[in-house]
Amino acid sequence: MAAEAGDKAFYVTTPIYYVNDAPHLGHAYTTVAADMIARWHRQRGERVWFLTGTDEHGQKVMRSAEAAGVEPSEWSDRLVETEWKPVLEVVDASNDDFIRTTEQRHVERVQRFWQALYDAGHVYEGRYEGPYCVSCEEFKIESELEDGQDGEKLCPIHGRPVEILSETNYFFRMSAFADRLLALYEEHPEFVQPESMRNELISFVRQGLQDLSITRSTFDWGIPVPWDPDHVLYVWIDALLNYVTAAGYSTNPEAFAQIWPADLHLVGKDIARFHAVIWPAMLMAAGIDVPRTVFAHGWLLVGGQKMSKTKLTGIHPRDIVDHFGSDAFRYYFLRAIQFGSDGSFSWEHMTAVYTSELANGLGNLASRVAAMVGRYFDGTLPKPTDHGPAEDVIAEKLADAARRADAAIDRFALHEALAATNELVGAVNVYVTEQEPWKVAKSDADSDRARLATILYTAAEALRAIAVLHNAVMPKASGALWESLGAAEQLGALAEQRVQDAGTWGQLPPGATVTKTAALFPRLPEEPAGS
Ligand code: MSP
């Protein structure tokens, strides 16, 4: 959609992913959630800007490259091209841009940002002595560490020993921003969500903030500090800036004004503190607006612990998508886990959900309805003539589902949006079972023909709304359903259907050509792919 002056886009981001290794389900989970939100907003008719990308500097990536015997730049190029860009296609992500922190546009703008803060007196030289977790790329607080064997101190997230740093570094005067951050959390409760995370961060900041070490001087895989080339910028304060560098910060003020501030940074709960404490403090120092919302979702767990490559529990998204398809992948993770809470994945549970909700639920409903319109009305959607109480129930459920789903998206309750549409699918399935159109079809009496027409119209019209409401999460199946209903010809492209109008009854015109297409959710292969 063309941008108009003053027409700010809805700007949603994922974290940028470390290229130390290949993606696993946890990364794809964030991307898919952000993608659903982006697609939903597009379908409201809003202009949307959806950004994702890769975080390539720092020790974590440098050590992976060293272990593979290649330069970090070569390693990053390889991982981005063979893994991180392809996985976006695997999960059907509709991002508008992809930023790499090694790109010139990023490097230049990051240097400009920090030079400006340095010139304004927000940065000073000091000494950092303390624990650091390379897997988190984080300076750790002693009291948060866990005890390992032989007095070792472990990172509570990765369970790995922290390293003790002793470096002369530059520091950002972050402590000066504690009061302004607390005021931000107070005045804008929507700034950090869910509520539990907001409370956690408020108590963290209330304890007082330390200044932040923002440079490293013991290795060189990073953006050179513009005022002191013996240092590179600390990877996090380079990476966080991707959200503004990709939006045109400092070089393209008009474009920047149409995108920034971000409406939503979607992050895992492990990195909420970087996004809701350090990041707004950096922006305040620079005089740039802070993002509107940082939403922290939960973790995908394996054996009760965060799925991670470090712990060798990562499953590649392709392994799941090859077996279940990308729509089912997207649907399952967003539907089965309450968004904001942790959740577990199991092959068995996913198979059960696929079979009951997708294949036997929506898929079966769509194919039964199309088959009956084909058999009894030669594939032409009939006109409903005796809309009665049973049809009223469906029309009301449809309006209710559309309203609830739309409202749930604004609360980031993605699972509730899906549940609302699922309830509609369930209600239509019950309706068809109760109305028994195959029995009504046995009679040629005018009244029975009229009844049959009404039943099939009602089911098809409900499927029209289901295609619109599920399009953000299952674009392929929804597109196929839209085609099967003959809706594209009558109502235009699915992407052009507004979610806020989806609940209005009677949009699919009688006369539409309904065709039975391939199963939306085919029977699963016997064995998991690759086993
Ligand atoms: N590079 C940083 C982010 C910088 S953003 C300015 C980083 N990268 S990461 O690759 O380690 O993780 C990025 C995100 O992947 C996490 O915040 C989270 O959104 C997602 N996940 C990684 N593992 C996950 C799970 N096991 N479960 C759910 N999400 C997880 O942190």
Side-chain angles (χ1 to χ4, degrees):
M1 220 172 294
E4 286 163 25
D7 164 26
K8 188 187 131 12
F10 177 85
Y11 182 24
V12 53
T13 67
T14 71
I16 50 172
Y17 302 104
Y18 287 127
V19 294
N20 60 308
D21 210 331
H24 62 63
L25 299 184
H27 307 115
Y29 178 59
T30 314
T31 301
V32 158
D35 190 60
M36 179 185 177
I37 295 171
R39 286 178 189 261
W40 192 277
H41 279 264
R42 285 195 198 104
Q43 210 152 352
R44 279 184 186 165
E46 294 171 30
R47 198 168 70 88
V48 169
W49 197 251
F50 170 23
L51 176 71
T52 187
T54 43
D55 190 353
E56 304 184 14
H57 293 129
Q59 271 174 306
K60 179 168 162 135
V61 173
M62 191 181 78
R63 287 185 184 173
S64 298
E66 277 168 5
V70 293
E71 288 299 314
S73 60
E74 189 188 334
W75 173 261
S76 299
D77 288 349
R78 187 193 299 172
L79 268 280
V80 168
E81 291 310 323
T82 61
E83 291 288 351
W84 290 94
K85 283 188 172 167
V87 78
L88 296 173
E89 275 180 39
V90 170
V91 301
D92 218 355
S94 64
N95 53 301
D96 297 288
D97 195 2
F98 184 99
I99 185 149
R100 300 180 55 179
T101 54
T102 47
E103 282 173 61
Q104 199 52 29
R105 61 171 172 161
H106 178 74
V107 171
E108 273 172 22
R109 295 168 196 183
V110 166
Q111 287 183 320
R112 210 168 298 148
F113 180 96
W114 280 107
Q115 183 68 54
L117 259 55
Y118 181 77
D119 293 344
H122 291 292
V123 173
Y124 63 92
E125 196 173 3
R127 202 160 170 79
Y128 181 80
E129 310 244 0
Y132 189 86
C133 170
V134 174
S135 295
C136 295
E137 293 281 18
E138 184 173 11
F139 302 96
K140 292 287 181 182
I141 299 168
E142 205 86 50
S143 59
E144 291 178 342
L145 302 177
E146 286 172 1
D147 289 323
Q149 286 170 342
D150 305 328
E152 257 181 351
K153 292 288 180 187
L154 307 180
C155 161
I157 296 177
H158 293 92
R160 286 191 160 187
V162 292
E163 300 178 18
I164 303 300
L165 300 189
S166 173
E167 295 183 9
T168 299
N169 291 340
Y170 288 93
F171 285 75
F172 167 47
R173 292 184 206 279
M174 193 162 74
S175 55
F177 293 92
D179 289 344
R180 282 183 65 186
L181 288 169
L182 288 170
L184 170 68
Y185 307 146
E186 194 58 42
E187 286 158 24
H188 291 281
E190 76 287 0
F191 174 74
V192 48
Q193 299 185 49
E195 182 68 19
S196 52
M197 182 55 77
R198 176 171 174 261
N199 293 336
E200 189 182 318
L201 292 185
I202 290 176
S203 34
F204 174 73
V205 176
R206 275 205 187 124
Q207 288 166 18
L209 284 181
Q210 293 180 359
D211 290 341
L212 177 72
S213 168
I214 54 159
T215 68
R216 301 291 309 273
S217 50
T218 50
F219 61 92
D220 64 359
W221 179 234
I223 298 182
V225 170
W227 63 88
D228 186 345
D230 290 341
H231 293 243
V232 292
L233 291 169
Y234 165 47
V235 61
W236 265 100
I237 57 101
D238 145 3
L240 286 163
L241 282 164
N242 88 89
Y243 304 126
V244 295
T245 61
Y249 158 75
S250 83
T251 49
N252 194 341
E254 280 109 71
F256 189 62
Q258 292 202 340
I259 296 180
W260 194 258
D263 293 85
L264 175 63
H265 290 319
L266 210 56
V267 300
K269 65 181 184 182
D270 46 326
I271 58 171
R273 212 185 272 179
F274 292 98
H275 283 82
V277 179
I278 298 177
W279 179 224
M282 281 166 57
L283 291 166
M284 285 170 180
I288 300 173
D289 287 344
V290 300
R292 295 195 171 133
T293 295
V294 174
F295 185 94
H297 67 67
W299 285 338
L300 296 190
L301 305 176
V302 176
Q305 294 198 317
K306 178 177 178 245
M307 177 181 287
S308 90
K309 282 278 180 175
T310 312
K311 289 190 187 134
L312 306 176
T313 53
I315 301 171
H316 200 291
R318 201 179 297 113
D319 294 340
I320 309 285
V321 170
D322 282 349
H323 187 72
F324 293 96
S326 60
D327 276 354
F329 180 98
R330 299 163 60 92
Y331 176 86
Y332 175 76
F333 287 103
L334 299 181
R335 156 90 175 111
I337 302 168
Q338 184 172 335
F339 202 58
S341 304
D342 293 345
S344 301
F345 159 80
S346 84
W347 198 273
E348 292 71 24
H349 187 234
M350 187 161 177
T351 304
V353 169
Y354 180 93
T355 306
S356 68
E357 297 182 14
L358 297 181
N360 296 345
L362 175 57
N364 194 28
L365 175 66
S367 78
R368 275 202 298 172
V369 171
M372 286 190 282
V373 175
R375 194 173 316 135
Y376 306 134
F377 294 95
D378 291 329
T380 302
L381 188 67
K383 193 171 160 52
T385 48
D386 65 348
H387 187 102
E391 288 71 41
D392 280 344
V393 170
I394 298 298
E396 275 161 27
K397 286 225 183 281
L398 186 152
D400 183 54
R403 222 180 1 252
R404 279 165 50 208
D406 201 31
I409 296 291
D410 285 335
R411 289 183 285 112
F412 310 110
L414 308 186
H415 55 289
E416 284 182 31
L418 294 184
T421 307
N422 278 345
E423 278 177 36
L424 176 61
V425 175
V428 182
N429 251 326
V430 168
Y431 168 82
V432 172
T433 305
E434 286 179 356
Q435 298 299 317
E436 300 182 310
W438 47 89
K439 283 198 183 154
V440 182
K442 288 189 177 143
S443 152
D444 275 338
D446 284 353
S447 60
D448 285 323
R449 285 297 286 173
R451 190 70 210 128
L452 185 61
T454 300
I455 299 166
L456 294 182
Y457 178 84
T458 301
E461 166 60 3
L463 283 168
R464 186 268 316 152
I466 291 163
V468 176
L469 297 175
H470 266 341
N471 192 32
V473 70
M474 296 192 286
K476 288 183 181 140
S478 302
L481 177 56
W482 195 248
E483 286 302 318
S484 143
L485 294 169
E489 208 184 320
Q490 301 285 343
L491 299 172
L494 177 56
E496 297 305 318
Q497 311 302 309
R498 297 286 158 257
V499 279
Q500 54 275 45
D501 300 334
T504 307
W505 187 257
Q507 295 182 39
L508 192 61
T513 306
V514 177
T515 38
K516 190 165 184 297
T517 48
L520 296 184
F521 304 101
R523 268 165 62 109
L524 294 173
E526 285 296 312
E527 291 294 320
S531 69

